Amino acid sequence: MKIGVIGLGDIAQKAYLPVLAAQPGLDLHLHTRSRATLDRVGDAYRIAHRHPTLDGLLDQGLDAAFVHAPTGDHVGIAERLLEAGVPVYLDKPLAADLGGAEHLVQLAADRRVSLMTGFNRRYAPAYTQCLDHPRDLILMQKNRIGLPGSARTFVYDDFIHVVDTLRFLLPGAVQDTAVRAKTRDGAVHHVVLQLSGDGFTAIGVMNRMSGSTEERLEVSGEDTKREVLNIADVIDHKGQPTLRRRGDWVPVARQRGFEQITHTFLDAVRSGKLLDGQDSLRTHELCERIVTEIGAQTA
């Protein structure tokens, strides 16, 4: 299969190219506008097909494409690919606003072309195992150091992972939603999201002035708790805690779900299965609501 890789920044190099380059039967084609980056990454992974223009890449007759370009370029690039009938794997978010996300999901549906969003945490083993645990209470934190920002960038480029992971783990339908945030001089410092329904509450927190880069997930119920630290170590609590660490030889891409989500997308392309973007759109809708709530609280 001919696979395009568009955008060759950190996420492409650290998470996706190591997985794609190791897969048999893939004919990889790279695209970025920087010739120096194109050659450096192409040389590092011994990939001969290098295209400095999107037109040149599309001329190759791609079977699918992975898009890792900056968020502001997502709609324009994905639009071109979908209109050409190319299945698209697009890093989160689909777009920087709900309108752009809705447009891409509708275009993919109209053209009957797959569109998948890169919510890798849905495939991380430590998180998928939490689906088998009681989830009366779900707590998730994803914190940063010294990174306050605008509400839209804060939510769509970062907090969206917390939003989607909570949605993934919810044991039932949401009946109530609440949002609280701290802003200073137009920059968001932290956000708290609470989703609740019949018998459960899910709370997501992001503090980008926390003094630590960390990610924590807790699911609890029926007098038991499972805690996941940095998508790696799993601690089960029932009386005495039991720690399960990531294996020494487990690749980071597998630990964080990048390997599994990449295989899921490629398997769908091979089999002709159509991947629907509707569930991803629900996450973007909730993100837009959070941005609106932050704006109202700031005003």
Side-chain angles (χ1 to χ4, degrees), residues 97-112:
D97 57 45
L98 180 58
E102 289 174 333
H103 169 66
L104 291 181
V105 171
Q106 187 61 55
L107 178 60
D110 291 344
R111 298 300 176 98
R112 295 197 57 77

Side-chain angles (χ1 to χ4, degrees), residues 14-299:
K14 292 178 181 178
Y16 290 97
L17 281 172
V19 176
L20 292 168
Q23 294 301 301
L26 298 186
D27 183 16
L28 298 181
H29 290 250
L30 304 181
H31 164 58
T32 187
R33 289 171 292 189
S34 167
R35 187 76 228 189
T37 301
L38 196 58
D39 288 336
R40 176 174 55 80
V41 176
D43 288 347
Y45 288 95
R46 297 178 176 83
I47 299 172
H49 305 297
R50 308 170 189 181
H51 309 279
T53 68
L54 183 57
D55 286 339
L57 179 68
L58 287 170
D59 286 343
Q60 306 307 307
L62 299 176
D63 294 298
F66 287 77
V67 180
H68 309 297
T71 299
D73 296 331
H74 281 190
V75 172
I77 292 172
E79 200 173 47
R80 292 282 308 280
L81 292 164
L82 293 170
E83 287 175 346
V86 178
V88 175
Y89 178 102
L90 186 56
D91 271 343
K92 61 77 195 167
L94 291 176
D97 57 45
L98 180 58
E102 289 174 333
H103 169 66
L104 291 181
V105 171
Q106 187 61 55
L107 178 60
D110 291 344
R111 298 300 176 98
R112 295 197 57 77
V113 180
S114 286
L115 174 63
M116 187 175 195
T117 312
F119 289 131
N120 58 291
R121 281 161 178 76
R122 291 188 174 219
Y123 296 81
Y127 282 5
T128 60
Q129 291 168 18
C130 290
L131 291 172
D132 300 324
H133 195 280
R135 302 187 303 285
D136 297 346
L137 182 62
I138 305 169
L139 304 172
M140 185 175 179
Q141 297 183 63
K142 187 175 185 288
N143 297 327
R144 303 280 193 163
I145 302 171
L147 281 175
S150 70
R152 187 162 295 280
T153 300
F154 187 115
V155 173
Y156 270 84
D157 277 358
D158 206 355
F159 193 56
I160 192 170
H161 272 310
V162 177
V163 175
D164 190 71
T165 304
L166 291 183
R167 289 193 60 248
F168 171 64
L169 293 172
L170 290 174
V174 174
Q175 297 171 352
D176 296 293
T177 300
V179 177
R180 295 297 302 172
K182 176 184 177 179
T183 61
R184 180 176 294 172
D185 300 325
V188 181
H189 286 222
H190 72 243
V191 172
V192 180
L193 169 68
Q194 179 173 309
L195 306 172
S196 57
D198 186 13
F200 72 87
T201 301
I203 299 173
V205 177
M206 175 168 282
N207 184 357
R208 299 224 292 188
M209 292 290 285
S210 73
S212 180
T213 297
E214 61 178 351
E215 183 165 330
R216 293 174 174 267
L217 173 68
E218 293 183 10
V219 295
S220 58
E222 299 179 17
D223 207 25
T224 65
K225 181 175 78 170
R226 176 165 292 164
E227 183 179 8
V228 182
L229 306 179
N230 296 318
I231 327 182
D233 296 340
V234 179
I235 306 170
D236 283 318
H237 299 261
K238 189 171 179 62
Q240 293 297 317
T242 303
L243 171 64
R244 290 181 284 129
R245 294 190 181 278
R246 175 175 65 94
D248 292 341
W249 295 96
V250 175
V252 173
R254 185 176 306 158
Q255 168 202 333
R256 300 181 73 87
F258 291 109
E259 181 180 296
Q260 296 90 326
I261 195 172
T262 298
H263 289 165
T264 297
F265 176 69
L266 292 174
D267 288 346
V269 173
R270 290 188 186 99
S271 67
K273 178 182 178 181
L274 184 65
L275 297 175
D276 191 316
Q278 288 298 323
D279 187 66
S280 170
L281 192 57
R282 302 289 84 79
T283 293
H284 289 74
E285 289 172 349
L286 185 49
C287 284
E288 192 68 29
R289 177 172 178 176
I290 294 167
V291 171
T292 300
E293 291 278 355
I294 294 172
Q297 291 172 24
T298 302

